[in-house]
Amino acid sequence: MQVYLAVTPAQLQEASRFTHSFVHMAYRIGPESTLLRQNLLVQTHGGLLGLNDRDAPTVEEPEKLAAAALRECTRRNYAGAVLDWETPHPRGDLLLLAGAIGSLFQRNRLVLYVPEAYASAAPTAVVLVCTALSGGNLTQRLREAMSARGAGRLALDLERLMMDFPLPCPAGQGRPLRREELMELMARERPSIFFSPDLCARYFTYTCKNETHFVLFDDGDTLLQKLRTGQTSGAQAAFFQYPEVSDLLGKLFGK
C-alpha cells in the first residue's frame, strides 16, 4: 500500500525528511473554471495533485477544469489527483467535475481519489474512507466499503482523531480537541487510558463540573494499527495530513 503525506508548498521541505511521497496541496478551484496553483516550485515533480474546494465558485465548465488538471499532472509527472473536498453535502457542480476528471484520468491512466460522497460520480475512482470513527467497527466499515467499490478501489484518509464527548451524547457530536488541549487534559486528569479494538482508538473518561466526558483519540500506535487494518482490507493507498501528525512522523514512516 502506498502511503502519502499531504503538504502545502511551505511544508514540503520540512516534511521531505520523512518521505518523498506527497499530495501537493497547492491547488484550488478558481473563477471561470480555472485551476489555481499556490507558490509551488518549478522543480516540484512526482506524487499527486491535491485539489481543494474551499470557497470554490460554481464550476460552470467541468471539462475545462478537468483538462487543466490533466495538463498539470502531465507537466509535473503526477500519478493522479486527490479531491480534498470539504463541502459537507455533495454539490451538483462538483459531482460533475469529479465525473469529468475521473473520465479523463481513466483514459490517460492516471488515478483519482475522491471522497465517499462523490463516489457515484466517478465510478473508476478510488474512494477515500475516513478512519476517524466515533462509533461502529473500523474493520467492518472497510470491508463494507471494499465490497461496495471493488478490489483496489479503496484508500484510507487517516485523519487523526481527537474528540471530547459529553455524556450522555444522543446526537453523537463531540468537540474537536487540538493536540495541545489533549495533552493538557491528560496531564491534569491523569486518566486511565483504554484501547477500543472496534474503533482502533484510545479513550478515557473524566468529570468536570458534575458532567462526565468521554475522550476518544489516536496516537502513533493506533494510526499504525489503522494502516495495517487497511492493508488487510485491501486498501490501495493511505493519506496522512501534515502537520496534523507531525509529532508522529518518525514512527509512521520508520525514521
Side-chain angles (χ1 to χ4, degrees):
M1 179 169 57
Q2 179 67 54
V3 180
Y4 291 94
L5 193 60
V7 296
T8 65
Q11 298 162 347
L12 184 58
Q13 183 176 356
E14 181 180 352
S16 294
R17 294 182 297 146
F18 300 97
T19 182
H20 292 282
S21 296
F22 297 114
V23 182
H24 297 283
M25 301 307 303
Y27 301 89
R28 61 187 180 90
I29 299 170
E32 300 181 358
S33 304
T34 55
L35 180 69
L36 301 183
R37 183 179 64 243
Q38 171 199 356
N39 302 327
L40 197 60
L41 296 176
V42 173
Q43 61 267 34
T44 300
H45 286 80
L48 298 167
L49 181 155
L51 180 60
N52 188 271
D53 70 336
R54 189 177 298 119
D55 301 322
T58 301
V59 180
E60 301 286 355
E61 300 178 80
E63 290 80 10
K64 173 184 175 181
L65 184 48
L70 175 62
R71 287 194 299 272
E72 184 70 1
C73 287
T74 301
R75 187 166 75 92
R76 293 188 181 267
N77 198 30
Y78 292 154
V82 179
L83 303 186
D84 179 37
W85 289 350
E86 304 171 4
T87 307
H89 303 290
R91 272 174 41 180
D93 61 319
L94 295 184
L95 284 166
L96 292 174
L97 177 59
I101 296 177
S103 298
L104 196 56
F105 276 30
Q106 182 191 25
R107 293 198 297 271
N108 289 273
R109 299 184 180 180
L110 296 177
V111 64
L112 177 66
Y113 298 91
V114 300
E116 277 191 281
Y118 290 84
S120 62
T124 61
V126 180
V127 175
L128 287 163
V129 177
C130 182
T131 64
L133 301 184
S134 58
N137 181 289
L138 178 62
T139 300
Q140 184 63 29
R141 172 86 173 81
L142 295 177
R143 285 176 180 168
E144 290 172 354
M146 181 63 72
S147 176
R149 198 62 177 176
R153 294 294 178 183
L154 174 69
L156 304 181
D157 178 7
L158 284 152
E159 178 183 330
R160 187 174 185 174
L161 177 65
M162 290 184 287
M163 297 288 290
D164 186 326
F165 299 86
L167 299 179
C169 189
Q173 296 295 321
R175 180 177 71 87
L177 294 171
R178 300 192 314 275
R179 188 170 67 224
E180 295 77 12
E181 288 182 294
L182 177 62
M183 295 300 102
E184 290 172 5
L185 183 59
M186 293 173 65
R188 185 180 74 238
E189 300 294 333
R190 299 184 180 276
S192 296
I193 298 173
F194 304 93
F195 176 73
S196 167
D198 285 348
L199 301 176
C200 197
R202 302 200 189 279
Y203 68 93
F204 63 86
T205 60
Y206 72 97
T207 302
C208 180
K209 298 179 180 179
N210 297 320
E211 183 178 64
T212 301
H213 291 252
F214 175 81
V215 176
L216 194 60
F217 69 97
D218 278 318
D219 59 16
D221 290 329
T222 63
L223 287 174
L224 281 174
Q225 184 59 42
K226 288 178 177 181
L227 196 59
R228 296 188 191 105
T229 301
Q231 287 178 311
T232 303
S233 301
Q236 181 188 111
F239 299 89
F240 291 102
Q241 183 74 44
Y242 188 88
E244 187 178 301
V245 294
S246 58
D247 60 322
L248 307 176
L249 287 177
K251 174 172 285 191
L252 297 174
F253 288 91
K255 296 180 182 181

